């Protein structure tokens, strides 16, 4: 097996599924003796990336400005100096910068180009760049169909690789350490002795925060031992919505029943102590990592039945899928599950090891194709 130098490119390393996947592939590269580079504007996840053996290159390649195009010759110089074999791009604006740097290099000097379609990009020329890779990874059957419909992506260029979780870390029966629980209940004493309902998502309308609060209102009227948690950061520009949501909670008389924690890095532990976790995005998720992490812990999920989340639910807990926007159906199912908790099927389909190996297989395949072309 040829040892490779792989450069992954994305806007930043703050938080999110794309960012987590980048670190996971980077770790797999290092573990198999490859050289792993990541280029971004930086963020809170850089320290973790570097601690696992990768090199981070700081570059504002995701900044949507014509000035960013000045990085094109710098990128070419970096690729030559660091002898990069593969550039793997995970976001649209960086993909344009990378593509023009790649396209304007002599063919014999170019690294191989891989892209991942991570979402439902708005159809058009700007988004089509994500299908410009010599190999294109799609993260769910839903995204695969979307790419075929809107971008006429040829099957031979496309590889379906589900996002995956580490089933040695996310497994049924996992519980946080006693010290963590003690700290949690000291910080949130209102959750002590309660059965927790959790929505782990950024605080925004499209993530279903309002639907969750309405659902909780129905459930809390019948069960006094329930406490609801909204765990997620408020993105820039969403402060007004967060304030409106707090007002909605107060008007509904739910202030003692609902807690908004903001961003937390211990979401796994919160999921593990929850009774039911929700995925209520009004627009379909391309995949939905948090849902899969929860199901892998053996914790039931109630989810709107669309997007990549629907594929997970169909495999692991089909009875938890409800019609999009049907708050009454979700509330009734919650009440039923509070009486009798359903069993979640073991996760053998969406694993981290499988995702990592299949991604590295794509890298080896695109390198083999380049050798065939040049031979």
């Amino acid at each position: 097996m040829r040892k490779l130098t792989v450069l992954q490119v994305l806007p930043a390393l703050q938080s999110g599924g794309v960012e987590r996947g980048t670190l996971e592939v980077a770790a797999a590269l290092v573990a198999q003796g490859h050289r792993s580079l990541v280029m971004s504007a930086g963020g809170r996840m850089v320290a973790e990336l570097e601690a696992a053996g990768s090199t981070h290159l700081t570059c504002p390649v995701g900044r949507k400005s014509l000035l960013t195009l000045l990085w094109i010759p710098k990128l070419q110089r970096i690729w030559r100096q660091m002898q990069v074999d593969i550039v793997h791009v995970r976001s649209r604006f960086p993909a344009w910068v990378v593509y023009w740097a790649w396209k304007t290099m002599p063919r014999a000097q170019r690294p191989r180009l891989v892209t991942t379609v991570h979402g439902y990009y708005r159809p058009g020329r700007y988004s089509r760049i994500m299908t410009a890779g010599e190999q294109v990874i799609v993260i769910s059957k839903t995204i695969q169909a979307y790419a075929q419909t809107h971008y006429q992506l040829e099957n031979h260029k496309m590889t379906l690789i589900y996002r995956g979780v580490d089933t040695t870390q996310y497994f049924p029966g996992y519980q946080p350490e006693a010290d963590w629980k003690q700290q949690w209940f000291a910080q949130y004493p209102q959750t002590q002795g309660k059965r927790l309902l959790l929505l782990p998502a950024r605080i925004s309308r499209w993530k279903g925060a309002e639907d969750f609060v309405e659902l909780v209102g129905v459930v809390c009227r019948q069960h006094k031992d329930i406490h609801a948690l909204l765990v997620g950061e408020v993105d820039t520009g969403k402060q007004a919505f967060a304030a409106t949501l707090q007002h909605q909670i107060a008007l509904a008389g739910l202030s003692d029943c609902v807690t908004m924690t903001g961003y937390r890095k211990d979401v796994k532990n919160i999921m593990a102590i929850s009774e039911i976790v929700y995925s209520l995005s009004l627009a379909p998720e391309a995949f939905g990592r948090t849902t899969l992490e929860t199901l892998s812990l053996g914790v039931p999920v109630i989810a709107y039945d669309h997007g990549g989340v629907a594929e997970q639910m169909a495999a692991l807990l089909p009875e938890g899928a409800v019609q999009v926007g049907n708050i009454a159906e979700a509330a009734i199912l919650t009440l039923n599950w509070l009486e009798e908790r359903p069993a979640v099927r073991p996760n053998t389909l969406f694993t981290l090891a499988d995702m990592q190996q299949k991604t590295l297989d794509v890298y080896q395949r695109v390198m083999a194709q380049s050798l065939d072309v040049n031979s």
Side-chain angles (χ1 to χ4, degrees), residues 169-208:
Q169 299 297 318
Y170 291 83
F171 54 88
Y174 167 83
Q175 280 295 304
E177 298 290 338
D179 287 350
W180 179 89
K181 288 185 177 180
Q182 183 177 5
Q183 293 173 9
W184 168 267
F185 290 121
Q187 186 173 0
Y188 301 105
Q190 66 272 32
T191 65
Q192 184 87 48
K194 301 287 188 177
R195 291 190 288 177
L196 303 179
L197 307 181
L198 168 65
L199 180 69
R202 291 186 177 97
I203 304 302
S204 67
R205 182 171 283 104
W206 88 269
K207 285 286 189 179

Short mmCIF file of all heavy atoms in Angstrom, two decimals, residues 169-208:
data_model
loop_
_atom_site.label_atom_id
_atom_site.label_comp_id
_atom_site.label_asym_id
_atom_site.label_seq_id
_atom_site.Cartn_x
_atom_site.Cartn_y
_atom_site.Cartn_z
N GLN A 169 -16.78 3.47 21.70
CA GLN A 169 -17.05 4.60 22.58
C GLN A 169 -18.56 4.85 22.74
O GLN A 169 -19.00 5.33 23.79
CB GLN A 169 -16.39 5.87 22.02
CG GLN A 169 -14.88 5.78 21.92
CD GLN A 169 -14.21 5.61 23.26
OE1 GLN A 169 -14.59 6.26 24.24
NE2 GLN A 169 -13.23 4.73 23.33
N TYR A 170 -19.32 4.54 21.71
CA TYR A 170 -20.78 4.70 21.73
C TYR A 170 -21.40 3.31 21.67
O TYR A 170 -21.48 2.70 20.61
CB TYR A 170 -21.25 5.55 20.55
CG TYR A 170 -20.84 7.00 20.65
CD1 TYR A 170 -19.58 7.42 20.24
CD2 TYR A 170 -21.72 7.96 21.14
CE1 TYR A 170 -19.20 8.75 20.34
CE2 TYR A 170 -21.36 9.29 21.24
CZ TYR A 170 -20.09 9.68 20.84
OH TYR A 170 -19.73 11.00 20.94
N PHE A 171 -21.82 2.81 22.80
CA PHE A 171 -22.34 1.45 22.86
C PHE A 171 -23.47 1.39 23.90
O PHE A 171 -23.52 2.20 24.84
CB PHE A 171 -21.24 0.45 23.24
CG PHE A 171 -20.50 0.81 24.51
CD1 PHE A 171 -20.97 0.36 25.75
CD2 PHE A 171 -19.36 1.57 24.48
CE1 PHE A 171 -20.31 0.69 26.92
CE2 PHE A 171 -18.69 1.90 25.65
CZ PHE A 171 -19.16 1.47 26.88
N PRO A 172 -24.41 0.45 23.72
CA PRO A 172 -25.52 0.34 24.66
C PRO A 172 -25.03 0.10 26.09
O PRO A 172 -24.11 -0.69 26.32
CB PRO A 172 -26.30 -0.87 24.13
CG PRO A 172 -25.94 -0.95 22.69
CD PRO A 172 -24.52 -0.50 22.60
N GLY A 173 -25.63 0.81 27.01
CA GLY A 173 -25.26 0.65 28.41
C GLY A 173 -24.21 1.62 28.89
O GLY A 173 -23.92 1.68 30.10
N TYR A 174 -23.62 2.39 27.97
CA TYR A 174 -22.62 3.38 28.41
C TYR A 174 -23.25 4.36 29.39
O TYR A 174 -24.37 4.84 29.19
CB TYR A 174 -22.06 4.14 27.21
CG TYR A 174 -21.27 5.37 27.63
CD1 TYR A 174 -19.94 5.26 28.01
CD2 TYR A 174 -21.88 6.62 27.69
CE1 TYR A 174 -19.22 6.38 28.42
CE2 TYR A 174 -21.17 7.74 28.11
CZ TYR A 174 -19.85 7.61 28.47
OH TYR A 174 -19.14 8.72 28.90
N GLN A 175 -22.51 4.68 30.45
CA GLN A 175 -22.92 5.69 31.41
C GLN A 175 -21.73 6.55 31.79
O GLN A 175 -20.60 6.04 31.89
CB GLN A 175 -23.53 5.06 32.66
CG GLN A 175 -24.98 4.62 32.51
CD GLN A 175 -25.92 5.80 32.29
OE1 GLN A 175 -25.98 6.74 33.09
NE2 GLN A 175 -26.66 5.76 31.18
N PRO A 176 -21.93 7.84 32.00
CA PRO A 176 -20.83 8.72 32.40
C PRO A 176 -20.29 8.33 33.78
O PRO A 176 -20.97 7.68 34.57
CB PRO A 176 -21.48 10.11 32.43
CG PRO A 176 -22.79 9.97 31.77
CD PRO A 176 -23.21 8.56 31.85
N GLU A 177 -19.07 8.81 34.04
CA GLU A 177 -18.47 8.59 35.35
C GLU A 177 -19.25 9.33 36.43
O GLU A 177 -19.93 10.33 36.17
CB GLU A 177 -17.02 9.10 35.34
CG GLU A 177 -16.10 8.37 34.36
CD GLU A 177 -15.81 6.93 34.80
OE1 GLU A 177 -15.96 6.66 36.02
OE2 GLU A 177 -15.44 6.13 33.94
N ALA A 178 -19.13 8.84 37.65
CA ALA A 178 -19.85 9.43 38.78
C ALA A 178 -19.47 10.89 38.98
O ALA A 178 -20.32 11.73 39.32
CB ALA A 178 -19.59 8.62 40.05
N ASP A 179 -18.18 11.22 38.76
CA ASP A 179 -17.73 12.61 38.93
C ASP A 179 -18.45 13.54 37.95
O ASP A 179 -18.82 14.67 38.32
CB ASP A 179 -16.23 12.72 38.73
CG ASP A 179 -15.43 12.14 39.90
OD1 ASP A 179 -16.06 11.84 40.93
OD2 ASP A 179 -14.20 11.99 39.76
N TRP A 180 -18.60 13.06 36.71
CA TRP A 180 -19.31 13.89 35.73
C TRP A 180 -20.75 14.11 36.16
O TRP A 180 -21.25 15.25 36.10
CB TRP A 180 -19.29 13.25 34.34
CG TRP A 180 -20.02 14.10 33.33
CD1 TRP A 180 -19.49 15.10 32.56
CD2 TRP A 180 -21.42 14.04 33.02
NE1 TRP A 180 -20.48 15.69 31.79
CE2 TRP A 180 -21.67 15.05 32.04
CE3 TRP A 180 -22.48 13.26 33.45
CZ2 TRP A 180 -22.95 15.28 31.51
CZ3 TRP A 180 -23.75 13.48 32.92
CH2 TRP A 180 -23.97 14.49 31.97
N LYS A 181 -21.42 13.06 36.61
CA LYS A 181 -22.81 13.19 37.04
C LYS A 181 -22.93 14.16 38.21
O LYS A 181 -23.85 14.99 38.26
CB LYS A 181 -23.38 11.82 37.42
CG LYS A 181 -23.63 10.89 36.24
CD LYS A 181 -24.30 9.60 36.71
CE LYS A 181 -24.64 8.70 35.54
NZ LYS A 181 -25.28 7.44 35.96
N GLN A 182 -22.00 14.06 39.12
CA GLN A 182 -22.03 14.96 40.28
C GLN A 182 -21.91 16.42 39.83
O GLN A 182 -22.65 17.30 40.30
CB GLN A 182 -20.90 14.61 41.25
CG GLN A 182 -20.89 15.43 42.53
CD GLN A 182 -19.79 14.99 43.49
OE1 GLN A 182 -18.97 14.13 43.16
NE2 GLN A 182 -19.76 15.57 44.67
N GLN A 183 -20.98 16.68 38.89
CA GLN A 183 -20.80 18.04 38.39
C GLN A 183 -22.03 18.51 37.61
O GLN A 183 -22.45 19.66 37.71
CB GLN A 183 -19.55 18.11 37.51
CG GLN A 183 -18.25 17.90 38.27
CD GLN A 183 -17.04 17.80 37.36
OE1 GLN A 183 -17.13 18.03 36.16
NE2 GLN A 183 -15.90 17.41 37.93
N TRP A 184 -22.60 17.59 36.81
CA TRP A 184 -23.78 17.94 36.02
C TRP A 184 -24.94 18.35 36.93
O TRP A 184 -25.56 19.40 36.74
CB TRP A 184 -24.19 16.77 35.13
CG TRP A 184 -25.55 16.96 34.50
CD1 TRP A 184 -26.75 16.52 34.99
CD2 TRP A 184 -25.86 17.70 33.32
NE1 TRP A 184 -27.79 16.92 34.18
CE2 TRP A 184 -27.26 17.64 33.14
CE3 TRP A 184 -25.09 18.39 32.39
CZ2 TRP A 184 -27.90 18.26 32.08
CZ3 TRP A 184 -25.73 19.01 31.32
CH2 TRP A 184 -27.12 18.94 31.18
N PHE A 185 -25.24 17.53 37.93
CA PHE A 185 -26.39 17.82 38.79
C PHE A 185 -26.13 19.02 39.70
O PHE A 185 -27.07 19.69 40.13
CB PHE A 185 -26.78 16.58 39.60
CG PHE A 185 -27.39 15.49 38.75
CD1 PHE A 185 -26.81 14.23 38.70
CD2 PHE A 185 -28.53 15.74 37.99
CE1 PHE A 185 -27.36 13.23 37.90
CE2 PHE A 185 -29.08 14.74 37.19
CZ PHE A 185 -28.49 13.49 37.14
N ALA A 186 -24.85 19.29 39.97
CA ALA A 186 -24.54 20.51 40.72
C ALA A 186 -24.81 21.74 39.87
O ALA A 186 -25.30 22.78 40.37
CB ALA A 186 -23.08 20.48 41.17
N GLN A 187 -24.52 21.65 38.56
CA GLN A 187 -24.75 22.78 37.67
C GLN A 187 -26.21 22.91 37.28
O GLN A 187 -26.73 24.02 37.11
CB GLN A 187 -23.89 22.62 36.41
CG GLN A 187 -23.95 23.83 35.48
CD GLN A 187 -22.97 23.73 34.33
OE1 GLN A 187 -22.23 22.75 34.20
NE2 GLN A 187 -22.93 24.74 33.48
N TYR A 188 -26.90 21.75 37.15
CA TYR A 188 -28.31 21.75 36.74
C TYR A 188 -29.13 20.94 37.73
O TYR A 188 -29.63 19.85 37.42
CB TYR A 188 -28.45 21.16 35.32
CG TYR A 188 -27.67 21.91 34.27
CD1 TYR A 188 -26.48 21.39 33.75
CD2 TYR A 188 -28.11 23.14 33.79
CE1 TYR A 188 -25.77 22.07 32.79
CE2 TYR A 188 -27.40 23.84 32.83
CZ TYR A 188 -26.22 23.30 32.33
OH TYR A 188 -25.51 23.99 31.38
N PRO A 189 -29.28 21.46 38.94
CA PRO A 189 -30.02 20.71 39.97
C PRO A 189 -31.47 20.45 39.59
O PRO A 189 -32.09 19.51 40.12
CB PRO A 189 -29.91 21.62 41.21
CG PRO A 189 -29.61 22.98 40.67
CD PRO A 189 -28.80 22.76 39.45
N GLN A 190 -32.01 21.25 38.68
CA GLN A 190 -33.39 21.07 38.25
C GLN A 190 -33.61 19.76 37.49
O GLN A 190 -34.74 19.32 37.29
CB GLN A 190 -33.86 22.25 37.39
CG GLN A 190 -33.17 22.41 36.05
CD GLN A 190 -31.90 23.25 36.09
OE1 GLN A 190 -31.20 23.23 37.10
NE2 GLN A 190 -31.63 23.98 35.02
N THR A 191 -32.50 19.12 37.07
CA THR A 191 -32.62 17.86 36.34
C THR A 191 -32.49 16.64 37.25
O THR A 191 -32.71 15.51 36.80
CB THR A 191 -31.54 17.76 35.24
OG1 THR A 191 -30.24 17.71 35.84
CG2 THR A 191 -31.61 18.95 34.30
N GLN A 192 -32.14 16.86 38.52
CA GLN A 192 -31.96 15.75 39.46
C GLN A 192 -33.28 15.01 39.65
O GLN A 192 -34.32 15.62 39.92
CB GLN A 192 -31.45 16.27 40.80
CG GLN A 192 -31.14 15.19 41.82
CD GLN A 192 -29.73 14.67 41.69
OE1 GLN A 192 -28.78 15.46 41.60
NE2 GLN A 192 -29.56 13.37 41.68
N GLY A 193 -33.25 13.69 39.52
CA GLY A 193 -34.45 12.89 39.74
C GLY A 193 -35.48 13.00 38.64
O GLY A 193 -36.60 12.50 38.79
N LYS A 194 -35.12 13.62 37.51
CA LYS A 194 -36.06 13.80 36.40
C LYS A 194 -35.70 12.84 35.26
O LYS A 194 -34.55 12.41 35.11
CB LYS A 194 -36.00 15.23 35.88
CG LYS A 194 -36.34 16.30 36.93
CD LYS A 194 -37.81 16.32 37.26
CE LYS A 194 -38.15 17.52 38.15
NZ LYS A 194 -39.58 17.60 38.44
N ARG A 195 -36.70 12.56 34.43
CA ARG A 195 -36.44 11.87 33.17
C ARG A 195 -36.24 12.94 32.11
O ARG A 195 -37.07 13.84 31.95
CB ARG A 195 -37.61 10.95 32.83
CG ARG A 195 -37.71 9.75 33.77
CD ARG A 195 -38.71 8.73 33.29
NE ARG A 195 -40.08 9.19 33.45
CZ ARG A 195 -41.16 8.49 33.05
NH1 ARG A 195 -41.00 7.33 32.43
NH2 ARG A 195 -42.37 8.97 33.25
N LEU A 196 -35.14 12.85 31.40
CA LEU A 196 -34.71 13.93 30.53
C LEU A 196 -35.11 13.68 29.08
O LEU A 196 -34.89 12.59 28.54
CB LEU A 196 -33.19 14.11 30.62
CG LEU A 196 -32.64 14.38 32.02
CD1 LEU A 196 -31.12 14.52 31.96
CD2 LEU A 196 -33.27 15.62 32.63
N LEU A 197 -35.67 14.70 28.46
CA LEU A 197 -35.94 14.73 27.03
C LEU A 197 -34.96 15.72 26.42
O LEU A 197 -34.87 16.86 26.87
CB LEU A 197 -37.38 15.16 26.74
CG LEU A 197 -38.48 14.38 27.46
CD1 LEU A 197 -39.85 14.91 27.05
CD2 LEU A 197 -38.38 12.89 27.19
N LEU A 198 -34.26 15.31 25.38
CA LEU A 198 -33.12 16.10 24.88
C LEU A 198 -33.25 16.41 23.41
O LEU A 198 -33.48 15.51 22.59
CB LEU A 198 -31.82 15.31 25.13
CG LEU A 198 -30.55 15.81 24.45
CD1 LEU A 198 -30.15 17.19 24.97
CD2 LEU A 198 -29.41 14.80 24.66
N LEU A 199 -33.05 17.68 23.06
CA LEU A 199 -32.86 18.09 21.67
C LEU A 199 -31.43 18.62 21.55
O LEU A 199 -31.14 19.75 21.96
CB LEU A 199 -33.85 19.17 21.25
CG LEU A 199 -33.71 19.64 19.79
CD1 LEU A 199 -34.13 18.52 18.82
CD2 LEU A 199 -34.53 20.90 19.52
N PRO A 200 -30.51 17.82 21.00
CA PRO A 200 -29.11 18.27 20.85
C PRO A 200 -28.91 18.88 19.46
O PRO A 200 -28.70 18.18 18.48
CB PRO A 200 -28.32 16.96 21.00
CG PRO A 200 -29.26 15.89 20.48
CD PRO A 200 -30.67 16.40 20.64
N ALA A 201 -28.95 20.19 19.38
CA ALA A 201 -28.85 20.86 18.08
C ALA A 201 -28.59 22.34 18.31
O ALA A 201 -28.95 22.90 19.35
CB ALA A 201 -30.15 20.68 17.28
N ARG A 202 -27.99 22.97 17.32
CA ARG A 202 -27.87 24.42 17.37
C ARG A 202 -29.25 25.04 17.52
O ARG A 202 -30.23 24.53 16.98
CB ARG A 202 -27.19 24.95 16.10
CG ARG A 202 -25.72 24.57 15.97
CD ARG A 202 -25.12 25.27 14.77
NE ARG A 202 -23.69 25.00 14.64
CZ ARG A 202 -23.18 24.07 13.85
NH1 ARG A 202 -23.98 23.31 13.12
NH2 ARG A 202 -21.87 23.88 13.77
N ILE A 203 -29.31 26.14 18.26
CA ILE A 203 -30.59 26.78 18.52
C ILE A 203 -31.02 27.58 17.29
O ILE A 203 -30.50 28.65 17.00
CB ILE A 203 -30.52 27.70 19.75
CG1 ILE A 203 -30.03 26.91 20.97
CG2 ILE A 203 -31.88 28.32 20.03
CD1 ILE A 203 -30.89 25.71 21.33
N SER A 204 -31.94 27.00 16.53
CA SER A 204 -32.45 27.67 15.34
C SER A 204 -33.82 27.10 15.01
O SER A 204 -34.19 26.02 15.46
CB SER A 204 -31.50 27.48 14.15
OG SER A 204 -31.47 26.13 13.75
N ARG A 205 -34.55 27.86 14.21
CA ARG A 205 -35.91 27.43 13.86
C ARG A 205 -35.88 26.14 13.05
O ARG A 205 -36.66 25.23 13.28
CB ARG A 205 -36.62 28.55 13.07
CG ARG A 205 -38.07 28.23 12.68
CD ARG A 205 -38.77 29.44 12.13
NE ARG A 205 -39.17 30.37 13.19
CZ ARG A 205 -38.54 31.51 13.47
NH1 ARG A 205 -37.48 31.89 12.75
NH2 ARG A 205 -38.95 32.31 14.43
N TRP A 206 -34.95 26.04 12.10
CA TRP A 206 -34.98 24.88 11.20
C TRP A 206 -34.56 23.60 11.90
O TRP A 206 -34.90 22.50 11.45
CB TRP A 206 -34.13 25.14 9.96
CG TRP A 206 -32.68 24.79 10.03
CD1 TRP A 206 -31.66 25.59 10.40
CD2 TRP A 206 -32.09 23.52 9.69
NE1 TRP A 206 -30.46 24.91 10.32
CE2 TRP A 206 -30.70 23.64 9.87
CE3 TRP A 206 -32.60 22.30 9.22
CZ2 TRP A 206 -29.80 22.59 9.64
CZ3 TRP A 206 -31.70 21.25 8.98
CH2 TRP A 206 -30.32 21.41 9.20
N LYS A 207 -33.88 23.70 13.03
CA LYS A 207 -33.51 22.52 13.81
C LYS A 207 -34.66 22.01 14.69
O LYS A 207 -34.50 21.01 15.39
CB LYS A 207 -32.29 22.81 14.67
CG LYS A 207 -30.97 22.87 13.89
CD LYS A 207 -30.51 21.48 13.48
CE LYS A 207 -29.10 21.50 12.91
NZ LYS A 207 -28.63 20.14 12.52
N GLY A 208 -35.79 22.72 14.64
CA GLY A 208 -36.97 22.21 15.31
C GLY A 208 -37.13 22.60 16.76
O GLY A 208 -37.88 21.95 17.51
#
